[in-house]
Amino acid sequence: MKIKTKLNLGVGLLFLLIIILTLVSAFYIFSIKKDTENILKANYNTLEYSRNMLLSLDEINSDAENAIITFENNLNKQSKNVTEVGEHDATLNLKKSFNLLKVNRTDQKLKNQIRQDIFEIMKLNMFAIKQKSDVAKQTAETANMWIAITGTLCFLIAFNLLVNLPNNIADPIKELTASIKEIANKNYSERVHFMDHNEFGDLAKSFNTMAQKLEEYNSSNLYKLLFEKKRLETLINNMNDPIIGLDNQGLILFVNDEALKIIGMKSEDVLGKTASTLALTNDLMKSLIEKNSANEANIRGQKVLPMKIFADGKESYFEKENINITIQPTGEDQMINIGDVIILRNITPFKELDFAKTNFIATVSHELKTPISSIKLSLQLLENKTTGTINEEQKHLIESIKDDSQRLLKITGELLELSQVETGNIQLNIEKSNPYEIVHYATEAVKMQTDQKQIELLIEADENLPDIKADSEKTAWVLINFLTNAIRYSSENSKITMRLKKDNMQISFAVIDTGKGIDNRYRSKVFDKYFQIPGSQKTGTGLGLAISKEFIEAQGGTIGVESELGLGSTFYFKLLTI
Ligand code: ADP
């Protein structure tokens, strides 16, 4: 049954019950009133007339005329108010006796007869009053009973409605509210179970359909998510580079097969564990979670050394990258850290190629050095007068061959130094060295070049400088390289200053030229291998400064450049004093 019909019926029934109760009560009150009125009208009046007639009869002796009139009036009224059985005869008898008394007013016997008749009428009416009073009492009792029955019935029905109707409406609403809460908590299997054929039944049906659709949608999304997760895991697993994913607490979320191979552990021993716990027993893990070493080195401009790891039965080289993952949650302004991904780029093939290249360069430059040296020796012999006379043109040719062979020797020398640097084979001979001697050696070495370009080489050196901890040969090599560059990039008749001074616990060697200078963009790159500023003379190899950097840093010193385009450059290095 529909809720609306139920409510209509409930309220309608209550309304009907009130009407029935009112009607029953009204009916019985009316009956009792009628009974009472009947007594008053039919019997009480007769008693009143009779009393008046008796009084008039007593007054006949004193005031006969008035008494007779009063008696006759009351008798007439009584004649019209005959209501009881036998009252008619009694009234007729009274009338007869009264007519006789009017003629013979003193007849005592007649008076007695009249009194008898009046009493007879009064007796009949009093008996009727008693009877009618009994009937009224009976009516009142019946009224009581019926009103009680109807009232009880009304009470029972109203009570039943009171108990059942609110629950009938509230219970489904309660169940529905609880189910909506469950759905809000993502429990999409929740259903409501009131299946009556009313509005709540329809509501339940709609709710259950909605919940079912949500459940289907949720599980289809879950399936999609699981599928995507599987796809990503497969992708990560199929990558050749080892990858490890950590959450923001350092808990390992995923690790691919390559990573498992190099750390030598099984996935079940790694997943869900904190990286710091694993680092206690696994040295590789320890170096992997050393977060910022690579980044900090990058910031300082230092070279990040690749990690040498023994994996797959051979030594492999990896470059570690530690990526911090942050996201911006929907509806929030702040980025939050959700973890890190450690990627190890396998650079073994490049490293192998690099080794091959370095070996090749080392071999070639080493093999070239001997024939070039013998060319130089032969040239010296040619210049010697004992070998024979040479004309001016031949002299020029010999000079040019000498320059070229000198350059070739410089290049092969640089390549050889580089191969030593790259293989980590720099043989340093660090000892107590005198900075003045190094400067003197270097300036002497470039004297011919300064003379050729008529460049003035000024030496500004502080006095009484302490000795330094350095490989004097390599330091002089760097200084010669600085001076050669300064001469090469300065115009003729210019000035180059060699400044030597104390800087805290270090001695600073600076070569200051007034040449073309270096553009800001290239300043940090001039120390890179094979780098040459675009548009500069291509006579060099682009290795001099790179090797210089290696030499100075290997001795624990620092190297750098300050320059202004068009005004000149200052190349410097600093080495620790003893
Ligand atoms: P290179 O053998 O080419 O001189 P370097 O490593 O010595 O190689 O120098 C790298 C580059 O730096 C050079 O090609 C040149 O462009 C630039 N450079 C070096 N020194 C100076 C300088 N004093 N003035 C201007 N540019 C310079």
Side-chain angles (χ1 to χ4, degrees):
M1 200 194 285
K2 296 228 175 275
I3 303 290
K4 194 179 167 195
T5 325
K6 252 187 202 172
L7 280 172
N8 281 343
L9 277 178
V11 176
L13 194 63
L14 278 174
F15 189 67
L16 191 74
L17 288 173
I18 291 168
I19 290 176
I20 290 172
L21 201 60
T22 314
L23 283 179
V24 169
S25 309
F27 171 75
Y28 280 108
I29 288 167
F30 180 74
S31 300
I32 293 166
K33 184 180 163 235
K34 215 174 86 188
D35 285 352
T36 326
E37 269 179 5
N38 201 16
I39 292 170
L40 272 176
K41 198 177 131 203
N43 306 106
Y44 178 80
N45 288 350
T46 300
L47 288 179
E48 182 73 26
Y49 304 149
S50 301
R51 191 179 73 97
N52 290 341
M53 281 191 284
L54 281 174
L55 287 173
S56 314
L57 198 65
D58 287 340
E59 281 171 12
I60 276 186
N61 294 336
S62 52
D63 184 3
E65 278 316 306
N66 268 338
I68 281 172
I69 291 166
T70 314
F71 194 98
E72 206 157 21
N73 275 341
N74 282 293
L75 184 59
N76 285 337
K77 284 180 186 164
Q78 168 56 27
S79 303
K80 286 173 194 160
N81 192 28
V82 173
T83 52
E84 307 303 323
V85 184
E87 195 179 352
H88 181 70
D89 291 343
T91 309
L92 275 179
N93 286 342
L94 181 64
K95 243 182 190 168
K96 263 187 220 161
S97 305
F98 180 66
N99 287 334
L100 288 173
L101 186 72
K102 275 201 284 190
V103 182
N104 190 3
R105 294 182 183 179
T106 53
D107 188 348
Q108 200 58 37
K109 217 173 148 195
L110 218 49
K111 279 184 184 171
N112 284 343
Q113 181 60 44
I114 286 170
R115 272 197 189 91
Q116 287 269 316
D117 290 337
I118 291 171
F119 284 141
E120 179 63 25
I121 290 169
M122 283 175 79
K123 198 178 117 193
L124 279 172
N125 275 284
M126 277 166 75
F127 182 71
I129 283 174
K130 190 179 176 300
Q131 255 190 343
K132 283 179 185 169
S133 154
D134 285 348
V135 169
K137 199 176 155 196
Q138 185 72 33
T139 311
E141 275 168 9
T142 316
N144 261 349
M145 187 185 74
W146 280 114
I147 288 171
I149 289 172
T150 325
T152 312
L153 261 176
C154 288
F155 171 78
L156 285 176
I157 293 170
F159 186 74
N160 193 31
L161 280 176
L162 186 77
V163 170
N164 289 323
L165 199 60
N167 285 347
N168 244 321
I169 295 167
D171 286 352
I173 292 176
K174 229 190 268 172
E175 192 180 334
L176 189 69
T177 312
S179 298
I180 289 171
K181 276 186 187 157
E182 284 297 313
I183 295 276
N185 288 334
K186 297 201 174 78
N187 180 9
Y188 299 119
S189 57
E190 178 69 18
R191 299 285 182 275
V192 286
H193 301 104
F194 38 89
M195 291 299 164
D196 313 342
H197 295 289
N198 56 22
E199 289 92 332
F200 283 127
D202 296 344
L203 185 68
K205 233 165 138 187
S206 307
F207 178 88
N208 288 345
T209 313
M210 179 200 75
Q212 194 182 346
K213 285 195 173 163
L214 276 173
E215 195 176 12
E216 281 169 14
Y217 176 72
N218 184 49
S219 55
S220 73
N221 261 358
L222 201 69
Y223 170 76
K224 256 192 219 160
L225 282 174
L226 285 173
F227 182 78
E228 287 305 322
K229 187 174 173 262
K230 201 98 208 132
R231 193 210 300 268
L232 280 176
E233 278 173 359
T234 317
L235 247 160
I236 292 170
N237 259 341
N238 280 304
M239 284 177 79
N240 286 330
D241 296 332
I243 298 176
I244 300 174
L246 309 164
D247 74 359
N248 56 350
Q249 307 292 321
L251 215 74
I252 297 180
L253 299 176
F254 58 83
V255 49
N256 70 355
D257 291 346
E258 286 298 318
L260 287 173
K261 249 190 246 168
I262 65 157
I263 55 174
M265 293 180 90
K266 289 188 187 140
S267 69
E268 56 265 32
D269 299 331
V270 176
L271 291 177
K273 306 267 161 57
T274 53
S276 48
T277 317
L278 295 178
L280 294 175
T281 50
N282 192 311
D283 285 345
L284 183 59
M285 190 54 111
K286 193 173 159 193
S287 49
L288 286 184
I289 59 169
E290 273 169 5
K291 234 182 190 177
N292 295 320
S293 57
N295 297 348
E296 278 170 10
N298 264 338
I299 292 162
R300 286 200 305 267
Q302 287 174 6
K303 202 165 63 181
V304 183
L305 286 177
M307 296 174 81
K308 201 189 318 180
I309 299 168
F310 193 81
D312 263 353
K314 61 169 182 165
E315 270 186 347
S316 300
Y317 290 87
F318 293 93
E319 238 172 43
K320 188 181 87 170
E321 194 175 353
N322 203 326
I323 306 167
N324 184 244
I325 314 288
T326 54
I327 57 159
Q328 187 173 17
T330 320
E332 285 183 27
D333 304 331
Q334 299 278 315
M335 299 289 284
I336 56 164
N337 172 23
I338 58 161
D340 296 275
V341 174
I342 301 169
I343 303 175
L344 289 175
R345 291 220 172 75
N346 193 341
I347 53 162
T348 318
F350 304 108
K351 223 34 193 172
E352 283 167 355
L353 283 174
D354 200 40
F355 276 142
K357 176 217 72 185
T358 310
N359 281 339
F360 175 74
I361 290 175
T363 316
V364 169
S365 48
H366 186 76
E367 292 303 320
L368 283 177
K369 235 181 155 179
T370 328
I372 296 168
S373 301
S374 62
I375 291 172
K376 276 186 80 178
L377 201 72
S378 306
L379 285 171
Q380 269 172 15
L381 286 173
L382 260 180
E383 275 179 327
N384 199 327
K385 295 241 169 68
T386 53
T387 324
T389 46
I390 45 170
N391 61 28
E392 269 312 298
E393 205 173 331
Q394 284 167 330
K395 222 178 192 174
H396 274 300
L397 284 170
I398 287 170
E399 272 308 312
S400 139
I401 296 170
K402 233 169 123 184
D403 277 357
D404 284 342
S405 54
Q406 180 57 39
R407 264 189 35 223
L408 267 177
L409 204 63
K410 183 177 177 271
I411 290 171
T412 45
E414 280 181 358
L415 287 173
L416 208 57
E417 300 284 5
L418 177 82
S419 56
Q420 279 179 3
V421 164
E422 286 192 339
T423 49
N425 289 336
I426 313 176
Q427 302 289 327
L428 284 178
N429 184 19
I430 294 186
E431 56 192 359
K432 186 174 157 192
S433 310
N434 185 313
Y436 300 108
E437 277 175 18
I438 295 171
V439 169
H440 179 71
Y441 179 79
T443 47
E444 280 303 309
V446 297
K447 201 158 178 2
M448 225 171 70
Q449 295 170 52
T450 46
D451 288 349
Q452 264 174 12
K453 281 184 100 172
Q454 285 156 15
I455 288 173
E456 191 184 351
L457 182 58
L458 295 171
I459 298 171
E460 290 177 6
D462 288 356
E463 282 175 18
N464 300 324
L465 288 174
D467 288 341
I468 52 170
K469 273 191 282 186
D471 179 324
S472 46
E473 204 181 307
K474 297 246 171 346
T475 312
W477 191 99
V478 175
L479 212 51
I480 293 170
N481 190 55
F482 279 6
L483 288 166
T484 318
N485 280 345
I487 295 163
R488 193 186 302 167
Y489 299 108
S490 296
S491 47
E492 288 189 0
N493 296 314
S494 56
K495 244 190 247 171
I496 292 174
T497 312
M498 168 76 238
R499 189 173 290 156
L500 191 62
K501 62 169 185 168
K502 192 153 188 269
D503 186 355
N504 289 331
M505 296 298 287
Q506 292 176 312
I507 299 291
S508 157
F509 296 75
V511 176
I512 307 154
D513 67 55
T514 51
K516 59 186 218 167
I518 299 168
D519 192 333
N520 216 3
R521 288 179 286 170
Y522 306 120
R523 216 167 291 160
S524 60
K525 291 195 175 150
V526 290
F527 293 101
D528 289 352
K529 271 183 254 175
Y530 306 108
F531 179 80
Q532 289 182 305
I533 293 176
S536 63
Q537 296 174 34
K538 293 283 181 257
T539 45
T541 51
L543 288 172
L545 290 177
I547 296 167
S548 302
K549 188 169 188 282
E550 294 287 346
F551 280 175
I552 297 300
E553 283 176 358
Q555 295 177 70
T558 50
I559 194 166
V561 60
E562 285 161 9
S563 180
E564 201 131 328
L565 196 62
L567 293 178
S569 320
T570 301
F571 279 89
Y572 65 85
F573 63 84
K574 294 174 188 174
L575 288 170
L576 280 172
T577 55
I578 292 252

